[in-house]
Amino acid sequence: MDKELQRIADEVEMLSGKLKALKQEIGKVIIGQEETVSQLLITFLAGGHALLEGVPGLAKTLMIRTLANAIDLKFKRIQFTPDLMPSDIIGTEILEEDHTTGKKFFKFNKGPIFSNIILADEINRTPPKTQAALLEAMQEFEVTYGDKTYPLDKPFFILATQNPIEQSGTFVLPEAQQDRFLLYIKIGYPTKQDEEAILKATTGTFKKKLNKVISGEDIVRLQQLVREISISDALITFVSDIIRATRPETTTDSYVKDWVDWGAGPRAGQAMILTAKANALLEGRLAVTLNDIKSVALPVLRHRVLVNFRAEAEGITSDKVASHLLNTIEVKGK
């Protein structure tokens, strides 16, 4: 092993210890949901944003708040409502007076978007105009107000939640905005054992205290290390084959031709490779395996593959399409 690879391996080992400590801190409050927690950490390591979907009471908000409380970064929660305006998120100019000269001037008062971790709670309860206020921040990591552009602090993450069963007063996220989310994470009900543990832990008087176990600088360095994780050409080709197979125009798969309207774009392939690298790093490895790719494929593709009306009527989802492709496409040139 050369010196550069050894240096990376040593750094990964040191930072992996902090990631384990972070998982332990989250585990003090969040019982079960290991897969969801891992996917949130993968989002952080890959430098992207996540959309969490689950019915009420599954601790979506608590999970994100707990994660933020264990990281030494600025955190803000924005409760999305039908009357929320873009200026409530980005900020607005206010008229101030210079007490020495008496001159009046406009000063930009920064909104809650100027934090490191943003919890966009129930994002689908606000109109598209306000949802669109997040687009520039999510993609460019900056905010424009008037003729000025303000950079956001890094690292910067938006973790949004939405309720899949509530229809009244909700607004479906535009496909362009959904595509900005690195992962679309679905949270299921806890197991019987986990649910009993939740009931026991949350109905008493004892409240566990969280410690900040990892810094913003550590997160930034981990994001850099993710891109140094190696992936073979064969696995890159496999990812490309999966992405291209989701498109009715380029696929030879009759299942996709029958049930899919629109396939995933190149951003999906980028997301799959980056999150697979992040998953490898999270497990303390320096190279991507096939299992890394398969473990992130569903949350990467479920909001980027659009099935047709017939598929929806038959109960065929984008998850089923992705699972079908993962089971039928093989890695070439292993």
Side-chain angles (χ1 to χ4, degrees):
M1 184 182 290
D2 60 36
K3 290 183 179 179
E4 180 63 16
L5 194 58
Q6 183 62 54
R7 179 192 63 79
I8 293 173
D10 292 341
E11 199 167 4
V12 166
E13 185 178 357
M14 184 270 291
L15 291 171
S16 291
K18 293 191 176 184
L19 287 174
K20 288 178 182 176
L22 179 58
K23 275 189 168 183
Q24 288 173 355
E25 289 300 306
I26 295 170
K28 289 180 180 179
V29 177
I30 303 300
I31 297 169
Q33 303 290 5
E34 288 87 0
E35 183 180 5
T36 301
V37 171
S38 292
Q39 289 176 352
L40 282 174
L41 294 179
I42 286 169
T43 303
F44 272 44
L45 297 180
H49 314 287
L51 177 63
L52 281 77
E53 181 180 279
V55 298
L58 294 183
K60 300 184 296 296
T61 302
L62 178 62
M63 192 178 302
I64 295 171
R65 184 182 289 277
T66 302
L67 175 61
N69 287 341
I71 301 175
D72 191 15
L73 289 172
K74 291 185 291 183
F75 168 71
K76 283 283 192 284
R77 174 189 176 187
I78 305 172
Q79 179 63 55
F80 280 69
T81 59
D83 59 349
L84 195 73
M85 299 296 291
S87 58
D88 296 327
I89 298 172
I90 295 172
T92 187
E93 287 185 336
I94 55 174
L95 187 63
E96 291 197 351
E97 183 178 340
D98 189 325
H99 297 296
T100 56
T101 63
K103 289 184 178 180
K104 295 183 178 180
F105 61 95
F106 283 101
K107 178 185 177 183
F108 181 64
N109 192 28
K110 293 180 178 180
I113 197 73
F114 288 89
S115 292
N116 299 111
I117 303 174
I118 306 295
L119 167 54
D121 218 358
E122 296 183 295
I123 191 172
N124 60 329
R125 294 197 64 199
T126 203
K129 180 179 180 180
T130 304
Q131 292 173 0
L134 294 173
L135 281 180
E136 183 184 15
M138 293 173 71
Q139 191 65 29
E140 307 298 336
F141 296 92
E142 61 187 23
V143 166
T144 301
Y145 188 93
D147 59 350
K148 291 185 179 179
T149 299
Y150 302 88
L152 296 168
D153 294 336
K154 291 185 179 181
F156 175 74
F157 309 98
I158 290 179
L159 304 176
T161 70
Q162 68 177 14
N163 179 355
I165 61 174
E166 188 177 28
Q167 300 299 324
S168 178
T170 61
F171 304 83
V172 177
L173 267 66
E175 284 76 9
Q177 185 173 346
Q178 288 190 41
D179 196 33
R180 272 13 181 237
F181 288 103
L182 188 70
L183 295 182
Y184 181 1
I185 303 168
K186 289 192 174 182
I187 306 177
Y189 288 110
T191 63
K192 183 178 187 299
Q193 184 179 357
D194 286 342
E195 190 151 9
E196 289 176 359
I198 290 168
L199 295 175
K200 183 178 180 180
T202 57
T203 55
T205 57
F206 181 69
K207 189 175 182 181
K208 294 185 178 179
K209 182 181 178 182
L210 291 177
N211 300 307
K212 295 188 182 298
V213 295
I214 193 167
S215 68
E217 290 78 12
D218 291 331
I219 296 291
V220 170
R221 182 56 188 144
L222 283 163
Q223 290 176 352
Q224 295 167 348
L225 286 172
V226 161
R227 293 180 176 269
E228 296 184 38
I229 299 297
S230 65
I231 180 171
S232 67
D233 289 343
L235 288 179
I236 290 177
T237 300
F238 174 71
V239 170
S240 177
D241 289 344
I242 290 286
I243 301 305
R244 294 184 64 79
T246 65
R247 304 167 189 162
E249 302 86 352
T250 58
T251 189
T252 57
D253 193 302
S254 59
Y255 189 90
V256 174
K257 287 182 178 293
D258 286 343
W259 304 116
V260 175
D261 257 352
W262 295 97
R267 187 181 280 134
Q270 295 168 339
M272 196 176 295
I273 290 174
L274 269 178
T275 53
K277 287 186 173 188
N279 190 69
L281 181 62
L282 190 61
E283 296 183 2
R285 289 182 281 104
L286 299 180
V288 173
T289 66
L290 179 59
N291 285 337
D292 290 322
I293 293 171
K294 288 185 174 182
S295 68
V296 299
L298 296 189
V300 165
L301 292 175
R302 67 170 48 115
H303 55 307
R304 295 182 169 102
V305 175
L306 304 181
V307 297
N308 56 36
F309 289 116
R310 224 162 35 90
E312 290 179 359
E314 295 291 332
I316 294 174
T317 63
S318 56
D319 278 8
K320 289 185 178 180
V321 174
S323 296
H324 165 78
L325 293 175
L326 289 172
N327 291 328
T328 54
I329 296 177
E330 296 182 351
V331 179
K332 301 170 184 173
K334 289 182 183 178

